Amino acid sequence: MLLKYFYDDKLAHASYLVGCQRAREAIVIDPGRDIAGYLALAEREGLKITAVAETHIHADYVSGARELADRLGAKLYVSDEGPAEWKYLYLDGYANQLLHDGDSFSIGKIKFDVMHTPGHTPESLSFVLTDQGGGATSPMGIFTGDFVFVGSIGRPDLLEEAAGIAGTSEPGARDLFASMKRFRALPDHLQVWPAHGAGSACGKGLGAIPSSTVGYEKLNNPALQYNDEESFVRYILADQPEAPKYFAVMKRVNKEGPRVLGEGHHHQMLELAELHGALKSGTVVDLAPSSEFAKGHVPGAINIPIGMLATWAGWLVDYDKPTYLICKPEQLEEAARVLHKIGVEEIVGAFDADRVRSSGQANEVYSTAKPAELLPRIESGQVTLVDVRSNEEWNEGHIQNASHHFLGRLPSRLSELPKDKTVVVHCLSGARSSIAASVLQANGVKDVINMEGGYKAWVQADLPKQKETVALSS
């Protein structure tokens, strides 16, 4: 048996290729949309990818299952558990097997036993692997998807928080408690192969270690220490990270079937004459470093530095409009790949950043200032101070006179901010608030200042702050 681990650090997403070397066949578990790595490995190892399995309908990235089925003819193994609204809708025309609790399927001599493990989502499955080709009669490990992570467990509130399906969080938590009891009954020696690592919003406190064992998680995973259902429900629903709003889009896309990109999919550089129309018809994202963007940018463009694109584009790009980029030509394809992974489909193309800046169209700026320089204006009320950090960060401590508008939800809260007054934005260090400054300017707040060093610099300067113990606005 061959087991290979793939990790997309931009999305904190783990996927796996499992190959039966005797049959020369392989299956991919929970594939990402960019399938090039799986194809390259299979070719290198002399394997044919004949199957794809998904633990559930993912909400945080676009699945590559359909792409593999369409391009390779791979058979789809997907869940048929859960209510009607959580059924796959694109399976016609593709070889497939709908899975239920207690089912099994094989790739060569590798057997997968199916466990229904709902809670994160109603249809969630886990796959228990037995390497029969190696002579094993007992299982080796379990692919848990978003059910059990290293040091954590999948959150049950995403359907309510991101997809807006009211009243699903608590029932999901109770389903998760029942699934957890089944997991604790598994043999301690089983390896645990989850679909996410540290940084994923699919749970809280995920570990950065790629894999674990059932026994280790039973000893050390905080979520697995609860024997009382009510206590577990309170624990699992408390202090979850903000659910990115694009998660609702991902659920729909992966349920209905992502667009097949096909081999050779690429994007084009655009003529500067098209920039004016792009600003009117779509979202224009400038990928420049924030320091460069602050010194001169196109009015109406938002700034998401390329290293922060995967984290923030899903919050800030309008999925109902075309997307345009301002970047260096060599950045275009990588940026487009990132956007496609989170379901941004209509990427028209990109404008050359150097040509844009030399054309004179990058004529808007915003300023930066140190906390001590801003203190008198903040205390006197001359400026509006906006904290764009998360709820958790805000509750741990914040600046007096600040209002809280989490960056991801800032576009929907713009009406609450004055357009005729200077707005000072800050986060922990200044990176997220630089994005916020661009969002504010693109939406008509012209006088914006980004606080250098953010809240960290404010605290280090020993300036006035306060602590809250209750969650406020998001």
Side-chain angles (χ1 to χ4, degrees):
M1 186 188 84
L2 175 75
L3 173 61
K4 289 292 185 179
Y5 171 79
F6 292 81
Y7 195 73
D8 185 336
D9 56 3
K10 292 183 174 65
L11 299 174
H13 164 229
S15 56
Y16 305 84
L17 184 145
V18 183
C20 176
Q21 292 158 312
R22 183 175 300 177
R24 315 307 298 173
E25 295 180 358
I27 183 171
V28 183
I29 310 291
D30 287 333
R33 193 172 198 181
D34 185 357
I35 65 172
Y38 313 125
L39 300 181
L41 176 66
E43 181 177 9
R44 192 161 62 245
E45 297 290 339
L47 300 171
K48 180 181 180 182
I49 298 174
T50 59
V52 184
E54 288 205 299
T55 53
H56 64 297
I57 300 173
H58 296 277
D60 55 313
Y61 66 91
V62 178
S63 165
R66 187 180 192 180
E67 192 81 21
L68 286 165
D70 194 86
R71 287 172 60 178
L72 303 181
K75 184 175 181 177
L76 296 164
Y77 291 92
V78 296
S79 178
D80 195 35
E81 295 283 3
E85 59 266 30
W86 296 106
K87 306 296 185 184
Y88 288 82
L89 300 180
Y90 69 88
L91 301 179
D92 290 348
Y94 299 112
N96 69 86
Q97 181 176 330
L98 297 176
L99 301 175
H100 302 88
D101 187 60
D103 286 349
S104 64
F105 60 94
S106 296
I107 304 300
K109 294 293 185 178
I110 303 168
K111 182 184 179 187
F112 298 85
D113 290 305
V114 178
M115 287 178 59
H116 182 212
T117 49
H120 175 65
T121 59
E123 82 290 357
S124 290
L125 304 175
S126 295
F127 304 125
V128 179
L129 179 151
T130 303
D131 180 16
Q132 295 178 325
T137 57
S138 60
M140 171 190 292
I142 179 171
F143 295 98
T144 52
D146 290 13
F147 166 37
V148 174
F149 303 120
V150 177
S152 186
I153 196 167
R155 61 191 295 182
D157 64 323
L158 279 181
L159 299 183
E160 189 159 339
E161 292 298 317
I165 305 176
T168 55
S169 293
E170 184 175 327
R174 297 187 186 281
D175 286 344
L176 195 58
F177 182 75
S179 296
M180 181 188 71
K181 289 196 293 185
R182 290 191 71 186
F183 178 86
R184 290 196 303 197
L186 293 170
D188 285 356
H189 73 269
L190 289 190
Q191 296 181 56
V192 174
W193 302 304
H196 291 291
S200 170
C202 290
K204 57 181 177 180
L206 277 69
I209 300 170
S211 64
S212 183
T213 64
V214 169
Y216 187 85
E217 293 307 307
K218 286 195 285 189
L219 287 172
N220 296 286
N221 190 318
L224 298 182
Q225 308 312 307
Y226 288 86
N227 294 309
D228 175 70
E229 183 172 334
E230 299 304 322
S231 298
F232 173 82
V233 169
R234 287 193 296 271
Y235 162 79
I236 201 64
L237 293 180
D239 303 321
Q240 291 286 0
E242 285 86 356
K245 66 179 184 179
Y246 79 90
F247 277 21
V249 177
M250 294 300 89
K251 270 292 181 186
R252 175 182 55 77
V253 166
N254 287 326
K255 170 184 169 181
E256 296 176 356
R259 176 167 66 100
V260 175
L261 297 177
E263 189 174 4
H265 180 77
H266 67 281
H267 305 82
Q268 61 181 341
M269 298 301 295
L270 304 171
E271 296 297 326
L272 286 185
E274 300 177 61
L275 181 54
H276 180 71
L279 290 163
K280 285 185 171 296
S281 66
T283 304
V284 178
V285 183
D286 191 326
L287 304 183
S290 58
S291 58
E292 182 179 325
F293 183 89
K295 294 175 183 176
H297 53 266
V298 176
I302 65 171
N303 176 219
I304 309 178
I306 191 165
M308 302 175 76
L309 195 61
T311 303
W312 294 108
W315 286 102
L316 302 174
V317 167
D318 189 337
Y319 277 70
D320 295 323
K321 294 181 178 181
T323 297
Y324 301 82
L325 302 175
I326 296 176
C327 63
K328 297 181 182 299
E330 62 270 22
Q331 294 175 316
L332 171 56
E333 293 306 331
E334 175 58 24
R337 274 193 293 273
V338 170
L339 292 171
H340 279 319
K341 289 176 183 180
I342 58 172
V344 179
E345 296 288 30
E346 193 178 354
I347 305 169
V348 180
F351 302 97
D352 187 310
D354 291 338
R355 293 186 62 197
V356 169
R357 285 169 175 79
S358 64
S359 72
Q361 296 182 68
N363 54 18
E364 184 173 62
V365 301
Y366 67 79
S367 59
T368 63
K370 292 180 169 62
E373 297 169 342
L374 293 167
L375 178 61
R377 299 176 69 185
I378 292 171
E379 291 188 324
S380 67
Q382 294 178 37
V383 298
T384 299
L385 179 61
V386 175
D387 183 335
V388 299
R389 297 176 301 155
S390 68
N391 272 344
E392 182 180 3
E393 291 172 295
W394 168 272
N395 290 335
E396 289 175 352
H398 55 266
I399 300 171
Q400 294 177 17
N401 300 330
S403 61
H404 183 220
H405 298 280
F406 168 62
L407 172 58
R409 304 196 189 281
L410 186 60
S412 65
R413 306 286 293 275
L414 292 168
S415 62
E416 301 172 27
L417 298 175
K419 292 189 177 181
D420 57 352
K421 187 176 180 181
T422 301
V423 176
V424 175
V425 288
H426 83 86
C427 58
L428 181 63
S429 65
R432 286 171 288 174
S433 54
S434 67
I435 298 175
S438 77
V439 171
L440 292 172
Q441 283 196 319
N443 286 277
V445 182
K446 295 305 179 185
D447 193 1
V448 181
I449 301 173
N450 186 24
M451 183 189 294
E452 291 182 25
Y455 185 70
K456 185 184 296 183
W458 185 279
V459 171
Q460 289 172 346
D462 199 27
L463 300 177
K465 60 185 183 299
Q466 65 187 52
K467 181 177 175 63
E468 287 289 328
T469 57
V470 294
L472 300 180
S473 65
S474 60

